[in-house]
Amino acid sequence: MDAKEIFKEWQNATNLPDYLRDQLDTLGKDEKWVEDAFGQDINFGTAGMRGRLEPGTNRINLFTVGRVTEGLARLIEENGEEAKKRGVAISFDSRYHSREFAEHAARVLGAHGIHVYLFDDLRPTPELSYAVRHLHTFAGINITASHNAKQYNGYKVYGEDGAQMAPEHADRLFSYAQKVTDIFGVKAAPVKELRANGTLQLIGEDVDEDYLNELKQVTVDPEMVKANADKLKIIYTPLHGTGKMLYDRAFRQGGFDNVIPVPSQSIIDPEFPTTIKPNPEYRDVFEPGFKLANKVNANVIIATDPDADRMGAAVRKSDGDFQVLTGNQIATLMAYYLLAHLKENGKLTSDYEIVTSVVSSALPFKIAKDFGIKTKHVLTGFKYIGEEVDRMKKAGDAKFLMGFEESYGYLFKPFARDKDAMQGALMFAEVASYYASRGMTVFDGLQEIWKKYGVAYEITRAIEMPGIGGQKKMAELMSKLRGEHLTEIGGHRVLKIQDFLKKETIENGESTPLEGFPESNVLKYFLDDETWVALRPSGTEPVIKAYVGVNKKDIETAEKSAEDYQKALADLLK
Ligand SMILES: O=P(O)(O)OC[C@H]1O[C@H](O)[C@H](O)[C@@H](O)[C@@H]1O
């Protein structure tokens, strides 16, 4: 069936809620929209499915949520009665329709007799990851579009290890979902019935308690934190989302008594009214925090995104202004602190390991090597970091120190297996406390690291390619570049290319196999001035991501060079 026919089916459906029917009537006047919203099924990417909250098979709505949950139900059924009994934990964030979708997913699973643990209210993503492990469920669902704009929602699926489902399983789930021919006929049992027969169980405070208890392990030097408590004032913002549920207790039990929330951003609100996108990457989300910090004379601002898996921070410089740090810089500070702490306490052993993605900063690895510990690169997607934690546990060949991604994700203690902004916030607060104890700001700390190891500076840019045409364009651009074997970028010689799709490394015109990674549409180039650049279509947004990482003597040269490289990449993508 083509897009127009499917659109007609939706028009004729008898069970569309009014808000979807209204949207269908208005948006449906635009043929291009119809083509985009009905021309394909919404895909499963880096983090499950994500899309605009609109009617359509290529959108997020009650019906696409129902269909994918039906796919999950069939995957669980295939694994037998035990899997059904273990069931699924479900959480949701502060977005429009999140609660409704979570409940709908519970009802669809319930109709298959699959046990469901549904959070009674919004909760952070890492708490769901923790709940899956803690309750030994077979899977987890989280209704969230993370840091995307308010028009979006999404559906993340977790495997029994608490990490986002690995591609093999996710593909299977998706293929089951696609076998659902009548998207309007997916069965959903009534909540009342499921509550009465015990299939649907609400969870909340009980899991909070246990998760908060685990969070206590994150702080590595509680005494130092305690001794410097009065030197540190932290501003915290949950950006209108789930971080609000736990931050207060988490900070307090960690010994951080001086944490002041940003009032306007502590209101749970799907409009995210104080932001354009509730993403701690962007300076604008910190504006209310800056004002408050100036008023109460605080030096550190910590922000978590609406589902509290990403954590960003801004720190005061000596001129009084705030610097918004990148995810890479935050991870660098954390890695240095953790290693220095282990060393000072005579606890540093060479079997510690840091894991990060191939598009994240090289500096934490440089530091790790200097301290003599192991490092491991994985593809983008925190689930791959989760897999490494499992590998270390099973093989017993390494101790997990931390995992991080440039996209503001960090994990220290693997009781959660997704990036955990609560853990990130606690660790960053501890880093701030460490520098305060030395009479320094966090920004001074970063400069100290740069002085020792050189300035690593990274910029990630997203080049938008929306719509169905966009997918095609991204595929064409990537395959064109792949075929070209570039020898020069931005006036610099390419020394080596890593092609993660063809799984080959090209160096001096010779190709050797690139082992140890699943296939992925990523190209990474290493240049003659210690710069690396990478290109990949995002798995969560209709964009190609262009990554640049330079190594220079000072930050000014680094910033300029990184900008120049970004321009060169933008030209390549024209
Ligand atoms: O670069 P993308 O494919 O858009 O993914 C960006 C990020 O999306 C989600 O937040 C995932 O959990 C991360 O692991 C990933 O790094």
Side-chain angles (χ1 to χ4, degrees), residues 196-417:
N197 66 23
T199 308
L200 174 56
Q201 188 180 333
L202 292 184
I203 50 173
E205 256 318 299
D206 46 348
V207 182
D208 294 348
E209 289 282 321
D210 295 327
Y211 172 69
L212 279 161
N213 216 12
E214 297 281 6
L215 278 176
K216 288 182 189 156
Q217 304 170 43
V218 175
T219 309
V220 296
D221 196 346
E223 271 155 37
M224 182 275 294
V225 170
K226 209 167 157 205
N228 295 287
D230 58 344
K231 295 200 185 108
L232 194 64
K233 213 179 251 180
I234 296 172
I235 304 292
Y236 170 74
T237 166
L239 297 181
H240 306 284
T242 61
K244 180 173 180 195
M245 305 302 285
L246 300 179
Y247 83 89
D248 193 23
R249 282 182 281 171
F251 277 123
R252 247 174 232 290
Q253 69 176 25
F256 304 99
D257 298 332
N258 255 334
V259 179
I260 308 161
V262 177
S264 62
Q265 295 181 325
S266 299
I267 300 167
I268 304 284
D269 188 344
E271 277 293 315
F272 309 120
T274 61
T275 72
I276 300 164
K277 278 185 189 173
N279 185 349
E281 236 174 280
Y282 300 134
R283 193 177 171 91
D284 76 275
V285 307
F286 287 97
E287 290 298 340
F290 295 150
K291 279 196 196 114
L292 181 60
N294 288 335
K295 204 161 120 196
V296 302
N297 198 19
N299 289 333
V300 175
I301 308 172
I302 293 177
T304 55
D305 75 339
D307 67 324
D309 62 350
R310 287 183 168 218
M311 191 275 296
V315 292
R316 207 188 282 278
K317 294 184 290 184
S318 46
D319 64 3
D321 254 6
F322 274 95
Q323 174 77 32
V324 177
L325 299 177
T326 66
N328 283 317
Q329 291 167 343
I330 293 170
T332 300
L333 284 156
M334 291 167 163
Y336 183 78
Y337 168 69
L338 283 172
L339 287 165
H341 175 77
L342 282 171
K343 195 168 177 184
E344 265 165 38
N345 289 278
K347 289 191 198 146
L348 183 65
T349 48
S350 57
D351 55 352
Y352 275 105
E353 187 165 320
I354 295 193
V355 187
T356 192
S357 75
V358 294
V359 293
S360 300
S361 175
L363 187 50
F365 273 20
K366 205 171 184 181
I367 297 172
K369 283 182 184 141
D370 183 42
F371 279 87
I373 69 154
K374 298 182 179 192
T375 56
K376 171 88 194 201
H377 268 134
V378 293
L379 292 177
T380 301
F382 224 88
K383 56 192 162 221
Y384 296 115
I385 295 177
E387 278 178 8
E388 292 306 317
V389 173
D390 271 348
R391 191 251 313 151
M392 288 178 218
K393 283 231 154 108
K394 278 189 198 122
D397 60 351
K399 291 197 283 244
F400 179 68
L401 183 71
M402 73 181 269
F404 78 95
E405 282 191 305
E406 50 76 43
S407 51
Y408 298 75
Y410 331 88
L411 183 72
F412 306 96
K413 299 292 173 199
F415 52 82
R417 289 288 166 89

Side-chain angles (χ1 to χ4, degrees), residues 475-486 497 499 523 525 535 544 569 572-573:
E476 281 169 6
L477 275 169
M478 290 300 291
S479 98
K480 183 171 151 267
L481 287 171
R482 176 160 284 119
E484 276 173 0
H485 290 186
L486 297 177
I497 307 175
D499 181 341
L523 285 168
Y525 300 86
L535 293 164
I544 284 201
L569 291 183
L572 282 177
L573 294 171

Side-chain angles (χ1 to χ4, degrees), residues 4-16:
K4 274 193 197 131
E5 285 165 325
I6 303 174
F7 172 57
K8 273 214 182 92
E9 267 193 8
W10 280 63
Q11 283 182 310
N12 295 333
T14 51
N15 53 349
L16 280 195

Side-chain angles (χ1 to χ4, degrees), residues 45-47 50 146-147 156 164 305 309-310 357 359 380-383 405-407 418-419 536-541 543 545 547:
T46 316
R50 219 174 267 186
S146 202
H147 54 280
K156 292 183 179 175
Q164 287 191 41
D305 75 339
D309 62 350
R310 287 183 168 218
S357 75
V359 293
T380 301
F382 224 88
K383 56 192 162 221
E405 282 191 305
E406 50 76 43
S407 51
D418 205 344
K419 52 186 182 287
R536 59 178 279 277
S538 153
T540 61
E541 293 168 280
V543 300
K545 286 193 173 171
Y547 306 85

Side-chain angles (χ1 to χ4, degrees), residues 532-570:
W532 60 270
V533 304
L535 293 164
R536 59 178 279 277
S538 153
T540 61
E541 293 168 280
V543 300
I544 284 201
K545 286 193 173 171
Y547 306 85
V548 170
V550 301
N551 286 283
K552 299 285 166 198
K553 283 215 169 58
D554 59 81
I555 184 69
E556 290 75 23
T557 322
E559 280 174 357
K560 169 145 194 338
S561 168
E563 280 298 344
D564 288 346
Y565 271 111
Q566 276 295 352
K567 272 187 212 124
L569 291 183

